[in-house]
Amino acid sequence: IRRHCRSQTLATLCPRSLDRENSFQGSLDEPERDKFINYEGRLNSRFSPIQPLFRSHSGIRPLSDASYFSAWERLIIGFQLWYNRNIGGEALDMFRISPILSRGEIEPEVKFYVKGGVTYHYCDTKISLIHTPHSTRASFITSRSGLLPVEIIADLVGHNNRATTIYYTVESVADIERRVIEAANEIWQPDLSNPVHIRADRVNSRLRESFGRDRSKTELAFGFRTLGLLADDRPDGDGIALLRSSPMAQIVFRETHICPVGEACPTDVIDNIVEPRRCGVCPLAVKSVDHLPAIGAKMRHLLEQLQQSGDLLALMRLRGEPVATLQEITDRRRLDIAEYEGWKAAVHSLMEALEQLEETDPKQLQVGMPEAVERHLRMVSRDAEASEFILARLVDSRTYSAFETPLIRSQAAQLRQRLLSSGRAIAQEAERLVNDPVASALAGIRVMLEARGLRGCYDAALSAIKEQRLLIGANATAGRI
């Protein structure tokens, strides 16, 4: 049964809300509850009649656009008033009061009324919202443009046509210029001494050494951050507060975060993250600025999984697989998307902390300067084609073994075979690492660049790879590196 919802975004992102509304409607004993109506009241429509899920209080039709906009208006006004009254800093400006102009008028009509012998002049006014539902959707889509494939963004907001999603994407000129400059300055070197390969989980890492000396100062010096998803009244819902009091034997240092509960996810946390080890959306997982490189690698790992599951879904639909079978893969994709968004939010928060720490006097950080600050690390985002994405995934897998997958090993093995036919020196270098296809492929690329007298940068590596057609047939996700 096709059910109509005023907001496709709500239908996509809040399935539990829809389930609750469906259960509520099912509990009602109303004669008109199961009636079907024409879509949008149109006598001629390409859509079949629908059974509304969110019905108006005055009939069987869905809530009107006017009711929807009125509720949105009250929400925006109430939020601005609450924010400006309770939150410090720059005041929000989310709506304006403007005069009502008749058609063709430049100045409003001046009216007056008399009270207590005094004449007051006024004009009719209206509330103009700066942030409409339409602009909110455009902001949501634009902020994820390039970070996620268009198909995934379309799925997030309930679009069936990717052209509609592209229409809502509004890129600013300043943002495009910034990305071009950052992309031009980005370098790639498969070398463990490179600043991009900070390992915050190592026993001798700056983070763990500082944490062992003074937890409180380390929290400030390394810009600890968490996501707040649990209820505020939960006593141990703050991962940072929990980390301060947890015994050392219970704390687990991972590539992307610190777990204060020994990776034994509490029941109430599972209710939020759905399944264990979804650390990107876990409110107890503590991230620091030294975790930034590994978080970037984790995000690329998730993008690879999303590409694989998307291809599998397309194949299964082509074969006519049952809906239940497709739903299992779809649910997994939604969890991957949610975790990706969690890591993305962590990157934005940590980048702000990194900028603040770089301006701090090192003498004030008595526990030691984070490696990310000392090495002037920059997380660079840029559009990545298939070759670039594979190259980044190879480097990630070499540095963070936890993110190595059968797919990237297979692609590395194919690349290695093509390198073996490209020269004797490359063959000799690759043969030394025959049991590690990822390291072998990277070693071959390095030798090939050195033989040409080229610096190990992304552009040089990609040009050499494309020239020799080393990645023909590789299927990778075009994402953000």
Side-chain angles (χ1 to χ4, degrees), residues 24-38:
F24 169 72
Q25 294 289 349
S27 68
L28 300 177
D29 185 16
E30 295 181 355
E32 296 184 330
R33 184 175 65 84
D34 296 326
K35 284 189 177 181
F36 284 77
I37 64 172
N38 291 331

Side-chain angles (χ1 to χ4, degrees), residues 25-267:
Q25 294 289 349
S27 68
L28 300 177
D29 185 16
E30 295 181 355
E32 296 184 330
R33 184 175 65 84
D34 296 326
K35 284 189 177 181
F36 284 77
I37 64 172
N38 291 331
Y39 180 81
E40 293 287 357
R42 303 170 186 168
L43 295 178
N44 299 308
S45 172
R46 61 190 177 96
F47 299 112
S48 303
I50 61 171
Q51 182 182 2
L53 178 58
F54 293 91
R55 294 179 296 156
S56 170
H57 70 280
S58 59
I60 63 173
R61 293 179 57 81
L63 292 169
S64 66
D65 289 334
S67 298
Y68 175 71
F69 190 84
S70 176
W72 176 265
E73 183 179 76
R74 292 196 299 271
L75 176 65
I76 291 297
I77 294 174
F79 179 77
Q80 175 179 315
L81 295 176
W82 172 87
Y83 185 94
N84 292 340
R85 185 166 54 245
N86 296 279
I87 307 298
E90 185 178 355
L92 287 183
D93 185 16
M94 304 181 73
F95 71 90
R96 295 191 178 95
I97 298 178
S98 56
I100 297 178
L101 301 177
S102 300
R103 179 174 296 181
E105 288 185 347
I106 300 177
E107 297 293 334
E109 179 185 357
V110 179
K111 301 180 179 181
F112 66 90
Y113 73 95
V114 179
K115 182 178 180 181
V118 180
T119 301
Y120 297 90
H121 295 269
Y122 73 97
C123 68
D124 294 329
T125 60
K126 64 179 180 180
I127 293 176
S128 301
L129 298 182
I130 299 174
H131 303 282
T132 65
H134 183 280
S135 65
T136 303
R137 175 170 289 197
S139 299
F140 181 89
I141 293 174
T142 300
S143 65
R144 286 152 181 80
S145 173
L147 294 172
L148 291 173
V150 175
E151 294 77 10
I152 294 178
I153 301 177
D155 187 48
L156 279 172
V157 296
H159 289 163
N160 293 324
N161 188 343
R162 59 181 295 178
T164 305
T165 307
I166 296 174
Y167 171 80
Y168 278 95
T169 303
V170 184
E171 298 282 359
S172 68
V173 175
D175 188 50
I176 294 175
E177 291 178 350
R178 178 185 59 79
R179 293 181 185 179
V180 171
I181 294 173
E182 290 177 343
N185 293 334
E186 171 66 349
I187 62 171
W188 168 80
Q189 293 179 343
D191 180 359
L192 295 181
S193 64
N194 192 321
V196 301
H197 295 155
I198 296 173
R199 286 293 298 263
D201 58 326
R202 299 291 192 194
V203 176
N204 60 347
S205 69
R206 195 75 56 79
L207 173 63
R208 295 190 66 167
E209 290 179 351
S210 298
F211 189 84
R213 290 196 295 267
D214 192 318
R215 296 188 182 187
S216 299
K217 291 181 179 179
T218 301
E219 175 185 328
L220 298 175
F222 285 75
F224 282 5
R225 295 289 189 275
T226 57
L227 291 179
L229 299 179
L230 295 177
D232 293 336
D233 56 354
R234 185 180 185 274
D236 56 350
D238 184 357
I240 297 178
L242 192 59
L243 186 62
R244 298 186 191 122
S245 58
S246 297
M248 199 65 182
Q250 183 178 305
I251 299 173
V252 176
F253 288 82
R254 294 301 303 270
E255 302 93 335
T256 54
H257 64 284
I258 306 173
C259 180
V261 293
E263 298 193 314
C265 303
T267 303

Side-chain angles (χ1 to χ4, degrees), residues 336-394:
D336 287 342
I337 292 172
E339 185 175 11
Y340 181 95
E341 289 291 314
W343 290 120
K344 175 175 172 289
V347 167
H348 285 304
S349 178
L350 291 172
M351 286 303 296
E352 293 178 357
L354 180 60
E355 293 177 358
Q356 295 173 2
L357 290 173
E358 287 178 331
E359 300 174 357
T360 304
D361 184 355
K363 297 180 181 178
Q364 298 178 6
L365 305 177
Q366 301 177 18
V367 296
M369 181 76 74
E371 290 182 80
V373 176
E374 186 175 280
R375 301 185 183 187
H376 306 287
L377 173 69
R378 284 290 182 274
M379 293 290 290
V380 178
S381 297
R382 64 177 183 179
D383 294 328
E385 60 184 11
S387 300
E388 285 183 284
F389 190 82
I390 294 177
L391 205 55
R393 285 288 294 122
L394 287 172

